[in-house]
């Protein structure tokens, strides 16, 4: 939305600079996104002055050129070669000085430079009106009748003052500010300067020769409809002042009648429409809905099919406009129009919004109607428009004002607690200041006590429906920047944070695993006791009345039931398998039964399907380990320790993840002796997570940090270590040694071979350093890396290649 500062000054006395006014508007909730300068003539006639021709002689080498000397208010007259036939000594003329830029009416801008024309020096240019963009005539130079001193800026003579225009990002709830009057009303409350609306007391009915009757059939969609007739007018171009006002906010002038309706819309926020009175069949307007599928041609020449819910403004025979949205082509104002009917109405926001969206129409009128206009502005805007039409187009009011308003829209009654207002604002500003702001915004105080104010909120405050809305109005005018932040922040209400829902967490993780290509399986908790060795037999929970010897005990692990599913699929030539199960395991100890929940993952065959893009590869440890580590991260498992997998019956070549001496997950290759028990001949990688422990320790707390302002630094080391030393040992030592700067430790290469000593391996490791307070210097980096190397050498016996 564009707002002109000069236009605002017609409504409220403003002496502050444009930038300061913009800051005040932003502080009051009308965010000024930009301020630009509007010039009635491009370039603003900068560098163009009034001059006086002192001498004028014919150019000796050109019949159509004259050599002149011109007083432009400088120390010495300017020598100017001029080709105009009407130039003569003694004239007051318009002169473009050297280095000024001209913006001609029909060409590209150009800069005035010192030059020689047919051998004669020329230090400027005496201008015609088309050469400076004031008109289209090129018959001769502009000759002025003025006593202004030579050197006076031409813009001063022509009255071409510039204007500052605000681009305001109007939020949907601020329909009350969708006009210059609405913005001025906010400034009234901020500056404590009264708004002065234009005087309409001169409105008078000259005669009643052209009455137009109005009938509203749908009063819900159109609660108020008013209008008046103006006859004997002349449609033509608008005066310069009106064109300038519209151009300043990005509108193109059309004609004096249409320009007035647009002017009042942007001045007062009340949309208007002018019908050619001669085209109102039967001298009657009917506001109603037409049958579904009826056709109507709008001003843009498009034939539109109407919906039964579209509100139409009709005459006695046919529709003339879509109510609140768009006018019709047949009833619009043209050069032949001599009488008009000016419509001023209040339409239901819901009706206008639905119609505009259905037909893909967005106009300045619908923008305001669908957000909510002021029903009490209808008659004032109508009188204002009628007076302006008479001023710029002539004519006289030829009917009484018709005002159909059967059910007046009531004000909203609210009670405002002074104490609650102070609590919500966060500062005690006093009851007097609260009342002052409220009344300056147009809200009436109907009664008051020490503790409460009884308010009557006018309809134009469409977003003020409850006490909190009034407090927001008070706060934005008082100023958010004027509320000090307390050292001890407090609130009267703090929402409780629900505890993490185990079911939701579980489902999120299972969905993540499934998204990575794993298929969920559900297997029987009853299994074959022969899968377990003698030591495990004592821990089995037996089924006393089993029906089959193959199903005589509850399972100690998910391994065997999962392998049975793998066997069935492999036997049916499905060999590339990724499966998971969340299930229960059971054991007994010291006469008591224990039930646990575990998450098991199985991988066998190739890691990906055969493709021309990449070669196939067998499933490896890291294919499963990467997924497990991501699951632990999603569960906020925090810092866990990675250790070699302890010797056990089930797995080998794996690792165990521990936290606080509790195994939270383990990964490994299932022993051949285990897989053969279930007749699975393929290698199977298996992972098991301690689900009950992970859910119990899960915390949903999220910590937000500002992005670092300073760059990270990476340093690499090549370490030669004993084969039994794991990368996790290296990482833990590094993190303990440097807790502040070290952000990450990563191994990017491992070598074992004949180029290093037997029983050794080489790690290539990167260390990422970052100081969140300042840029790291070489001295700090070198010192940190030296300490890391010393500890790795001391604790692990590492040999560091330098």
């Amino acid at each position: 939305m564009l707002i002109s500062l000069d236009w605002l000054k017609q409504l409220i006395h403003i002496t502050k600079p444009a930038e300061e006014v913009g800051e005040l508007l932003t502080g009051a909730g009308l965010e000024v996104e930009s301020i630009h300068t509007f010039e009635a003539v491009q370039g603003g006639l900068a560098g163009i002055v009034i001059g006086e021709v002192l001498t004028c002689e014919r150019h000796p080498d050109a019949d159509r050129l004259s050599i002149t000397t011109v007083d432009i208010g400088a120390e010495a007259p300017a020598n100017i070669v001029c080709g105009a036939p009407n130039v003569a000594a003694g004239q007051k003329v318009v002169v473009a000085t050297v280095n000024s830029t001209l913006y001609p009416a029909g060409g590209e801008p150009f800069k005035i430079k010192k030059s020689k024309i047919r051998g004669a020096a020329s230090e400027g240019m005496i201008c015609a009106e088309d050469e400076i963009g004031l008109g289209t005539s090129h018959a001769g130079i502009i000759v002025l009748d003025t006593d202004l001193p030579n050197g006076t800026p031409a813009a001063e003579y022509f009255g071409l003052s510039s204007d500052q225009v605000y681009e305001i990002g109007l939020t949907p709830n601020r329909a009350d500010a969708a006009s210059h009057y609405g913005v001025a009303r906010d400034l009234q409350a901020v500056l404590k300067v009264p708004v002065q609306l234009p005087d309409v007391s001169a409105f008078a009915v000259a005669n009643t020769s052209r009455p137009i009757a109005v009938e509203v059939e749908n009063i819900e969609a159109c609660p108020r409809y008013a209008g008046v007739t103006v006859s004997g007018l002349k449609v033509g171009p608008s005066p310069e002042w009106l064109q300038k006002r519209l151009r300043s906010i990005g509108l193109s002038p059309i004609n004096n009648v249409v320009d007035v309706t647009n002017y009042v819309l942007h001045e007062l926020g009340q949309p208007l429409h002018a019908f050619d009175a001669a085209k109102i069949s039967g001298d009657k307007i009917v506001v109603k809905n037409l049958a579904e599928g009826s056709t109507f041609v709008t001003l843009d020449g498009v034939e539109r099919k109407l919906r039964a819910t579209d509100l139409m403004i009709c005459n006695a025979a046919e529709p003339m406009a879509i109510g609140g949205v768009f006018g019709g082509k047949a009833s619009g104002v043209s050069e032949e129009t001599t009488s008009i009917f000016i419509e001023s109405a209040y339409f239901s926001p819901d009706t206008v919004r639905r119609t505009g969206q259905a037909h893909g129409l967005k106009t300045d009128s619908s923008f305001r109607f669908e957000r909510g206009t002021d029903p009490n502005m209808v008659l004032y805007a109508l009188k204002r428009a009628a007076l302006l039409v008479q001023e710029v187009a002539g004519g006289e009011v030829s009917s009484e004002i018709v005002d159909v308003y059967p059910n007046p829209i009531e004000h909203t009654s609210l009670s405002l607690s002074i104490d609650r207002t102070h609590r919500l604002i966060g500062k005690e500003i006093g009851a007097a200041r609260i009342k002052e702001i409220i009344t300056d915004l147009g809200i009436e105080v109907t009664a008051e006590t020490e503790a409460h104010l009884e308010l009557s909120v006018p309809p134009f405050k469409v977003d003020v429906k409850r006490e909190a809305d009034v407090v927001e109005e008070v706060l934005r005018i008082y100023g958010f920047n004027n509320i000090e932040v307390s050292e001890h922040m407090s609130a009267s209400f703090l929402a409780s944070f629900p505890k993490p829902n185990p079911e939701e967490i579980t489902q999120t993780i299972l969905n993540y695993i499934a998204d990575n290509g794993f298929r969920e399986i559900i297997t029987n908790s009853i299994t074959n006791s022969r899968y377990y060795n003698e030591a495990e037999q004592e821990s089995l929970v037996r089924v006393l009345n089993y029906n089959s010897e193959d199903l005589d005990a509850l399972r100690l692990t998910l391994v065997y039931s999962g392998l049975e599913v793998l066997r069935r699929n492999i036997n049916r030539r499905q060999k590339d398998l990724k499966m998971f199960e969340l299930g229960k395991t059971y054991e007994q100890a010291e006469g008591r039964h224990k039930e646990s929940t575990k998450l098991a993952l199985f991988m066998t065959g190739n890691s990906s399907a055969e493709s021309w893009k990449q070669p196939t590869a067998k499933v490896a440890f890291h294919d499963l380990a990467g997924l497990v580590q991501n699951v632990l991260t999603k569960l906020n498992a925090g810092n866990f320790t990675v250790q070699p997998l302890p010797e056990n019956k089930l797995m080998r070549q794996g690792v165990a993840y521990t936290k606080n001496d509790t195994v939270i997950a383990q990964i490994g290759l299932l022993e051949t002796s285990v897989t053969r028990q279930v007749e699975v001949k393929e290698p199977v990688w298996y992972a098991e997570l301690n689900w009950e422990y992970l859910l119990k320790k899960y915390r949903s707390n999220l910590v937000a940090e500002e992005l670092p302002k300073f760059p990270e630094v990476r340093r690499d080391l090549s370490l030669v270590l004993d084969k039994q030393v794991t990368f996790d040992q290296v990482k833990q030592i590094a993190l303990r040694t440097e807790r502040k700067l070290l952000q990450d430790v990563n191994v990017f290469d491992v070598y074992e071979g004949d180029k290093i000593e037997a029983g050794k391996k080489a790690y290539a490791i990167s260390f990422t350093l970052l100081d969140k307070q300042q840029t790291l210097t070489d001295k700090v980096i070198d010192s940190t890396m030296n300490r890391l190397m010393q500890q790795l050498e001391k604790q692990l016996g590492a040999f560091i290649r330098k």
Side-chain angles (χ1 to χ4, degrees), residues 179-356:
S179 65
H180 285 76
Y181 174 51
V183 173
R185 195 160 41 206
D186 271 11
L187 286 175
Q188 172 181 256
V190 173
L191 297 174
K192 299 301 300 170
V193 177
V195 171
Q196 296 292 334
L197 279 173
D199 184 15
V200 296
S201 61
F203 176 84
V205 178
N207 59 70
T208 57
S209 61
R210 289 301 304 268
I212 302 292
V214 173
E215 179 183 340
V216 180
E217 293 186 4
N218 188 343
I219 60 173
E220 291 184 358
C222 180
R224 188 173 196 179
Y225 191 95
V228 72
T229 306
V230 179
S231 300
L233 54 83
K234 173 64 176 175
V235 176
S238 296
E240 184 60 33
W241 71 265
L242 181 51
Q243 293 192 38
K244 179 183 174 182
R245 281 278 183 263
L246 297 179
R247 287 195 183 101
S248 70
I249 57 172
L251 297 181
S252 298
I254 298 172
N255 61 52
N256 45 14
V257 174
V258 175
D259 291 350
V260 164
T261 60
N262 286 332
Y263 180 86
V264 174
L265 164 67
H266 288 275
E267 180 183 53
L268 304 176
Q270 173 62 43
L272 304 172
H273 188 72
F275 296 102
D276 187 331
K279 298 175 182 178
I280 302 178
S281 176
D283 288 336
K284 182 179 182 180
I285 283 181
V286 183
V287 183
K288 62 181 180 178
N289 300 93
L290 298 181
E292 183 82 25
S294 301
T295 59
F296 178 66
V297 180
T298 47
L299 273 170
D300 55 3
V302 177
E303 183 178 272
R304 302 179 188 275
K305 284 191 175 182
L306 303 177
R307 305 182 310 159
T309 56
D310 294 337
L311 186 69
M312 302 300 296
I313 313 301
C314 308
N315 57 35
E318 60 186 357
M320 298 189 298
I322 302 176
V325 180
F326 213 21
K329 187 175 183 179
S331 61
V333 174
S334 65
E335 292 182 358
E336 291 76 29
T337 300
T338 58
S339 298
I340 61 170
F341 177 80
I342 307 174
E343 167 195 279
S344 181
Y346 174 82
F347 295 109
S348 164
D350 293 344
T351 299
V352 175
R353 185 180 302 112
R354 283 196 299 267
T355 298

Side-chain angles (χ1 to χ4, degrees), residues 525-529 531-532 550-555 560 564:
S525 296
I526 304 176
T527 188
N528 191 333
S529 62
Y531 286 142
Y532 302 96
D550 293 335
L551 299 171
D552 62 344
L554 297 180
R555 62 190 176 190
Y560 295 107
E564 289 172 350

Side-chain angles (χ1 to χ4, degrees), residues 143 151 168 183 216 305 333 384 517 547 600 699:
V143 179
I168 294 178
V183 173
V216 180
K305 284 191 175 182
V333 174
R384 171 70 167 153
N547 294 325
R699 297 292 181 270

Side-chain angles (χ1 to χ4, degrees), residues 705-732:
E705 284 188 350
E706 183 182 3
L707 289 172
K709 299 178 181 178
F710 303 98
E712 294 179 342
V713 174
R714 169 174 163 161
R715 291 291 185 268
D716 297 341
L717 290 180
S718 179
L719 310 177
V720 178
L721 301 157
D722 290 337
K723 276 190 175 182
Q724 63 269 26
V725 175
T726 65
F727 166 68
D728 190 67
Q729 290 176 278
V730 175
K731 182 176 181 179
Q732 295 302 323

Side-chain angles (χ1 to χ4, degrees), residues 81 96 123 221 230 245 256 268 339 368 373 381 478 541 680 689 715 718 781 797:
V81 176
E123 303 168 323
V230 179
R245 281 278 183 263
N256 45 14
L268 304 176
S339 298
R368 286 157 179 82
T373 56
Y478 181 78
V541 177
V680 173
L689 283 73
R715 291 291 185 268
S718 179
I781 296 169

